[in-house]
Amino acid sequence: KSLLIRSNFTGTINNTGQSTLKEQMTGGYYGNSLWRNLAGSYLTLKDESAYLTGTTSATLVNESGAEVKKAGAGVSSIEWDIVNGGNIRIESGGLSISGDVSGTGSIQADANTSLHIYSNEFQIHTLTLDPTANLDFRGSRLEVTNFNGNFAQQSGTYSPGASPAISTLDGNYSMTNGSIFEVELAGSIPGQFDQLTVTGNVDLVHGQLSVALLNGFTVNNGQHFDFMIVDGILNGTFLNLAEGALVGNFGTDVFITYRAGDGNDIALYTAPVPVPPAFWLMTSSLLGLVSLSRRKRA
């Protein structure tokens, strides 16, 4: 069915089939507005004239097993808050999202499409970008557990995971001045603190680092938090945080190293300064050679 709604919409629509929105749907001005995409249903935003506009009293709920799809030319817009347990797919053109986003679902941008994020809070489990898709992030905060694609962060705060979590960015990650990478600490075990694995290269270029303690967690001496595992090449440092610099005092002084793990990862640590695992691996190898040499002499 095709929807053409220009007047204000108040109430609830439960979509159980396939619906296409070709112009605007306005909601939230005179009461709460709710569009619920039930499992197995589809809502298609067709062309650039299709958009959901209104206030924060309007919500789009996309349940597990449901899909919101952008099709046709131009950029469609969703100004409503989104609770996404299903999938949002950009098949063609672009999609602009300015309402807050939450949920355990996914968003995917197909080839030659664009995703524009202006949300204050944008939290999603999986974000998948085709190599030719463009991500334009101008929102305040981005939280993604599984990020498939390259991310060039120009602004806002990127906090991987879901307060906190072990996360993956399958691609390259770069930062510029004004962009912030946030690490959340709620314990000393990965998963209790944010740990992001980047499969490609990381270019910090003086992006900023933010550290947040959650759930009353207290940092103690002798702790080590490997928060970014870099499989590719690591270039640059966070703004004003050279190797071994003091990040701040969180009950005890916390420092940063870019030589953690295999010598190419980023970690926070407290005194006494921990010896990187790469050092122990190298030391063990050397001791093995010395031992072997001694056996030969004997």
Side-chain angles (χ1 to χ4, degrees), residues 38-70:
L38 302 180
S41 65
Y42 294 83
L43 171 62
T44 299
L45 305 179
K46 181 70 171 177
D47 299 326
E48 62 185 1
S49 57
Y51 56 96
L52 299 174
T53 182
T55 72
T56 54
S57 296
T59 304
L60 168 63
V61 175
N62 191 44
E63 295 186 351
S64 176
E67 183 169 272
V68 175
K69 181 172 65 177
K70 166 61 180 68

Side-chain angles (χ1 to χ4, degrees), residues 107-149:
I107 295 180
Q108 67 182 87
D110 292 352
N112 302 311
T113 62
S114 61
L115 173 60
H116 309 267
I117 300 174
Y118 300 91
S119 310
N120 288 324
E121 298 284 340
F122 190 97
Q123 183 268 321
I124 198 75
H125 185 271
T126 302
L127 176 60
T128 301
L129 305 174
D130 182 89
T132 62
N134 176 56
L135 173 61
D136 175 28
F137 173 59
R138 302 187 190 183
S140 298
R141 185 178 182 84
L142 179 70
E143 295 186 17
V144 180
T145 302
N146 296 320
F147 197 128
N148 302 310

Side-chain angles (χ1 to χ4, degrees), residues 171-182:
N172 299 320
Y173 174 50
S174 62
M175 302 180 71
T176 59
N177 287 329
S179 59
I180 300 171
F181 183 89
E182 183 178 83

Side-chain angles (χ1 to χ4, degrees), residues 211 213 218-219 221 245-255 269-270:
V211 179
L213 270 58
T218 301
V219 178
N221 289 331
L246 174 66
V247 176
N249 185 285
F250 302 89
T252 187
D253 288 342
V254 174
F255 305 89
Y269 65 89
T270 59

Side-chain angles (χ1 to χ4, degrees), residues 144-206:
V144 180
T145 302
N146 296 320
F147 197 128
N148 302 310
N150 299 323
F151 183 27
Q153 184 183 0
Q154 303 293 326
S155 62
T157 297
Y158 172 38
S159 181
S163 300
I166 297 175
S167 306
T168 301
L169 193 158
D170 189 9
N172 299 320
Y173 174 50
S174 62
M175 302 180 71
T176 59
N177 287 329
S179 59
I180 300 171
F181 183 89
E182 183 178 83
V183 181
E184 294 177 325
L185 307 179
S188 58
I189 302 172
Q192 294 177 349
F193 65 86
D194 285 328
Q195 185 177 80
L196 174 68
T197 296
V198 181
T199 64
N201 302 325
V202 172
D203 197 344
L204 299 178
V205 195
H206 300 299

